[in-house]
Amino acid sequence: MVRVRDNRDKVAFAALFTHFAPRIKGYLIKSGADATTAEECAQDVMTTLWRKAEQFDPTRASVATWIFTIARNRRIDMLRRDRRPEPEDLPWGPEPEPEQIHVLEMQQEAARLAQAVATLPPNQRSLIEQAYFGDLTQAQIAKETGLPLGTIKSRLRLALDRLRHAMK
Amino acid sequence: MTQPDITSPSGTAIRHHLNEATLMGYAAGTLPEAFNLIVATHLSLCDRCRADVQAYDAVGGALLEDESAALADESLAQTLARLDADPKPAGRKKTATGDFPAPLQDYVGGDLDAVRWRPLGMGVKQAILPTSKAATARLFLIPAGAAMPDHGHNGTEMTLVLKGAFLDGNDYFARGDIEIADIDVQHIPIADVHEDCICLAVTDAPLRFTGILPSILQKFFRI
Ligand SMILES: [Zn+2]
């Protein structure tokens, strides 16, 4: 990703595309898009990544996380045509030369988190997925699943606690 | 949520933060536009919630890694062709100066002096911001020492202070603080006596004012 950002390297871009475009498409289909729309939007997301590469900061987010945020914004636009307000940059701004150690830490944390998400118990995992992919609020998930809102909240909390624990 | 002594970028201590469901909803992208606006505005003032949202974004990144769907044959070639056709790279996001953080300025079309206020009576004014209909965002101006009209509500209401401060019961809310009131909370915010209070309020259901305005006027004023 850094090679895409700093050198506008298309070979590196193709490698990112091969890894992430099928994942973005899968995410969009789970969110309710048909295959054609998901294909188009996945291409849009990868084009946006190329265009906004300058904003990628490896000390703040892994590549997967950054791509997730672009895909999520594209999905909001696709499903609801809403604008998506974003917070402004911090007053002190990003560091000009990110320290390699912080980049490494972020990569390790992302790997641990991915591992923790992969090993969640199925009922917690499916709720987290619905919360992220379903375009539903917690109250709407309660309605949809027939589970009481309290149960949804406590299962989500359990799942998040597990993830937090894994990050320590 | 309450936790004391967190210092925001602007140097003041924010004591009242966003709750977990809202932070997660913002990261997941499931909130109505008006709520996204109040979250983005709070995050512009609050490091703590910003860090929390980054963690929730990371959960999304981890979930994304497990997905997969077969691409169209020409997918990569088409995208590569679009890279060259695409306009110049996007620059960095801006930082606003003034009373309103950048995301709010985008909706107002400027800072505090650009707000087009409408009087609600008793010196209270409001300005409705353009968002999708699923929820309503508006700015309130409450004169120093004055009370918001007494109201209860059907849904969730969030109020973020941008200037001045208000008291609600024993809780004090200053710039950057956010009050979250759920169903059936009867609350009466009163502006601090030192200056007029400007806040951003969002609701996902129409308010029921029990005070000065009859319901037909509620419709008229969209409150
Ligand atoms: Zn906060």
Side-chain angles (χ1 to χ4, degrees), chain A residues 10 19 22-23 25 30 39 43-44 51 54-55 72 75 80 84-85 88-90 125 131-132 157 164, chain B residues 20 26-29 31 44 50 56-57 65-67 69-70 72 75 78 82 84 86 90-91 93 102:
Chain A
K10 283 191 183 162
H19 182 80
R23 289 173 166 76
K25 189 173 176 180
K30 263 204 186 159
E39 171 73 34
Q43 292 189 21
D44 288 348
R51 206 158 45 80
E54 198 190 328
Q55 292 175 8
R72 170 201 64 204
R75 188 194 67 160
R80 303 194 245 145
R84 155 94 185 179
E88 64 185 48
D89 275 342
L90 294 175
R125 157 96 198 192
Y132 274 79
R157 175 146 305 156
R164 272 191 210 105
Chain B
E20 212 163 56
Y26 182 75
L31 302 180
S44 298
R50 185 193 290 260
Y56 286 114
D57 283 346
E65 284 285 10
D66 286 350
E67 293 305 314
S75 198
Q78 282 171 357
R82 284 174 57 191
D84 293 325
D86 230 49
K93 284 176 283 178

Side-chain angles (χ1 to χ4, degrees), chain B residues 6 14 16-18 23 42-43 45-50 52 176 178:
Chain B
I6 302 293
I14 293 177
H16 302 275
H17 293 272
L18 291 160
L23 291 164
H42 178 77
L43 296 187
L45 300 168
C46 178
D47 291 345
R48 186 181 117 178
C49 290
R50 185 193 290 260
D52 286 350
I178 194 158

Side-chain angles (χ1 to χ4, degrees), chain B residues 22-94:
Chain B
T22 308
L23 291 164
M24 188 172 179
Y26 182 75
T30 55
L31 302 180
E33 186 180 356
F35 282 86
N36 281 338
L37 174 61
I38 201 169
V39 173
T41 306
H42 178 77
L43 296 187
S44 298
L45 300 168
C46 178
D47 291 345
R48 186 181 117 178
C49 290
R50 185 193 290 260
D52 286 350
V53 164
Q54 282 172 357
Y56 286 114
D57 283 346
V59 173
L63 288 171
L64 183 68
E65 284 285 10
D66 286 350
E67 293 305 314
S68 189
L71 296 173
D73 292 342
E74 296 303 305
S75 198
L76 176 58
Q78 282 171 357
T79 308
L80 283 171
R82 284 174 57 191
L83 298 186
D84 293 325
D86 230 49
K88 74 233 168 291
R92 292 194 162 277
K93 284 176 283 178
K94 59 186 177 293

Side-chain angles (χ1 to χ4, degrees), chain A residues 92-108:
Chain A
W92 53 82
E95 290 157 36
E97 255 336 292
E99 287 192 41
Q100 208 47 42
I101 179 83
H102 292 142
V103 176
L104 205 66
E105 272 170 17
M106 180 54 76
Q107 285 168 353
Q108 287 168 347

